[in-house]
Amino acid sequence: MRILLIVSGSVAAYKALELTRLLRRDGDEVMAVLTAGGARFVTKEALAAITGQRVHDDLWAAEAEIGHIRLARWPDLIAVVPASADLLAKMAHGLTDDLATCVLLATRAKVLVAPAMNPAMWAHPATQANMAALRARGVIVAGPDDGPMAEPESGPGRLMEPPALRDAIRAVLADGPLAGKHVVVTSGPTHEPIDPVRYIANRSSGKQGHAIAGALAALGAKVTLVSGPVAQPDPPGVRVVRIESARDMLAACEAALPADAAVCAAAVADWRTARAADQKLKKVPGEAPPPLDLALNPDILATLSAAGPSRPRLVVGFAAETENVVANAVTKRAKKRCDWIVANDVSGDVMGGAENAVHLVTDAGVEDWPRMAKEEVARRLAARIAEALQ
Ligand code: CTP
């Protein structure tokens, strides 16, 4: 595959060299565009030596030789590694004041960005708004990692390590058994507001749902992950839509259709407050606590299973049970009219834990899978989904 690597200004730019080495070892062709900021941290000569290609760093020189349009058309994927706060802001606003930004605006190739910056810059609302705009346009975001920075500080903002970046790129370019298929996955809890500062939630970490989204993408699927508030990083190669409430989750899932399959792994809150207060509820001395008047939330799994002509061919639900796990799951599958149910016993440390012991309930019967890492459950389930969609 052809990968155009855009190296922008960050002390982590040296990792772009190692990433190039890994990609070329896998047989990919890599060409590099170096921004003025990037050139402060790695040299054009080093990039040329490691890509084995001429490095482009000047808009007007590039126009004379190859042109930014031809550069934009050349790759299967543009990887911005590292992506500085400045370059991400320019991308979000469509600025074109150098070669990298012109290429990024002119391309129709998939674009992956790997942010690298100080944690305060990453957390800044301006950066977060830029990232939301880029994600909404289908830009794939890899990382950043959480960890020590060049300055004596630690937090989210570290560039992902080259092997993980290579995997993220591989997932985007994957040509596996699910290539050309679209899968919608729900993950995490939902938050149902009580008032502007309080909400109803549950213990779901999003680990299992995010792992499933990543495993499907690794098999080549286009994946839309609709996620409640979680601390999980975005799985490589996956489009992530962030929501808070069950009603928002349903709207995002319906907006993502058509899909070949849907996997509902989210722990959706069954109830919301009938009417969330506009102002923070106050304690009034001598008065009883305010009653929580609850209303039933929509059932996303049941709605997708009954979506008529836009129903995904395969709808997979989860069953979180604390007793009679398999019997309850069999009943749930019939009630929700989904094709498969992955049943798990959540009475132990499953919610938030690293492992899961599940039973797969299909019309052919019940399979008991041994206890294994959630990533392994995800890989097995993704492989089964690939088989079923063949
Ligand atoms: N689910 C959903 N929307 C809801 C509730 C649940 O999409 N409002 C989905 C979950 O994502 C899961 C399946 O339905 O795939 C079963 O969820 P679970 O919590 O086990 O069951 P409930 O339907 O909530 O039933 P109960 O709480 O009575 O066991």
Side-chain angles (χ1 to χ4, degrees):
M1 293 280 187
R2 292 165 160 189
I3 296 159
L4 186 72
L5 189 66
I6 295 182
V7 181
S8 69
S10 155
V11 65
Y14 70 93
K15 291 186 188 172
L17 298 172
E18 174 65 4
L19 172 64
T20 304
R21 198 183 65 78
L22 295 175
L23 291 170
R24 290 196 67 199
R25 201 177 59 186
D26 291 348
D28 292 312
E29 231 184 305
V30 182
M31 187 139 71
V33 169
L34 185 60
T35 71
R40 296 274 178 167
F41 296 97
V42 288
T43 65
K44 194 172 170 178
E45 289 73 18
L47 267 175
I50 212 120
T51 58
Q53 307 246 26
R54 192 171 159 359
V55 174
H56 302 275
D57 60 351
D58 181 87
L59 177 60
W60 303 111
E63 288 315 295
E65 294 161 11
I66 165 166
H68 69 276
I69 301 293
R70 278 179 63 198
L71 262 181
R73 284 189 184 149
W74 177 79
D76 299 298
L77 171 84
I78 297 189
V80 188
V81 180
S84 66
D86 178 64
L87 184 53
L88 291 166
K90 285 178 176 163
M91 285 174 73
H93 294 276
L95 301 189
T96 53
D97 63 353
D98 66 358
L99 178 61
T101 48
C102 282
V103 169
L104 283 162
L105 202 67
T107 194
R108 292 201 184 90
K110 295 176 183 169
V111 177
L112 173 145
V113 297
M117 67 195 76
N118 167 277
M121 292 170 80
W122 174 250
H124 196 285
T127 305
Q128 288 306 311
N130 291 335
M131 296 315 296
L134 293 173
R135 281 194 181 99
R137 275 180 227 149
V139 169
I140 291 139
V141 183
D145 281 348
D146 194 332
M149 312 294 295
E151 57 269 41
E153 200 175 338
S154 190
R158 227 177 111 85
L159 182 66
M160 267 171 89
E161 293 302 324
L165 283 167
R166 186 255 323 263
D167 290 350
I169 289 172
R170 206 50 67 233
V172 180
L173 292 173
D175 192 19
L178 285 172
K181 300 282 193 289
H182 178 213
V183 188
V184 177
V185 179
T186 70
S187 181
T190 61
H191 284 183
E192 310 295 334
I194 296 171
D195 66 16
V197 298
R198 303 180 177 96
Y199 56 82
I200 303 173
N202 60 64
R203 293 182 193 282
S204 169
S205 64
K207 236 179 226 153
Q208 186 66 81
H210 276 55
I212 291 167
L216 290 162
L219 295 184
K222 177 180 157 210
V223 181
T224 304
L225 174 62
V226 181
S227 174
V230 294
Q232 302 295 323
D234 289 357
V238 166
R239 186 172 88 94
V240 184
V241 182
R242 293 182 169 72
I243 51 80
E244 294 213 341
S245 70
R247 286 186 293 177
D248 294 345
M249 184 175 268
L250 176 61
C253 288
E254 287 181 325
L257 295 178
D260 299 282
V263 181
C264 293
V268 184
D270 290 317
W271 302 284
R272 64 176 184 275
T273 49
R275 199 182 161 278
D278 296 333
Q279 305 297 333
K280 185 185 167 200
L281 297 173
K282 304 294 284 180
K283 292 186 292 293
V284 182
E287 272 192 17
L292 270 186
D293 192 8
L294 297 178
L296 194 63
N297 263 332
D299 191 308
I300 296 154
L301 177 62
T303 310
L304 292 177
S305 299
S310 57
R311 183 194 196 274
R313 186 140 63 90
L314 180 71
V315 181
V316 183
F318 269 69
E321 306 292 345
T322 55
E323 55 184 356
N324 305 326
V325 177
V326 172
N328 281 340
V330 170
T331 313
K332 217 168 251 185
R333 174 172 170 265
K335 196 172 78 186
K336 305 218 180 191
R337 297 171 162 261
C338 57
D339 302 294
W340 300 352
I341 283 261
V342 182
N344 54 359
D345 184 341
V346 291
S347 53
D349 63 350
V350 163
M351 278 190 142
E355 293 190 332
N356 210 350
V358 306
H359 314 268
L360 181 65
V361 184
T362 69
D363 59 1
V366 181
E367 287 173 32
D368 304 318
W369 292 5
R371 190 177 175 84
M372 58 184 103
K374 286 183 175 174
E375 286 77 11
E376 190 51 34
V377 172
R379 275 193 285 273
R380 280 206 190 192
L381 186 65
R384 292 293 293 271
I385 291 172
E387 256 173 54
L389 293 183
Q390 284 297 300

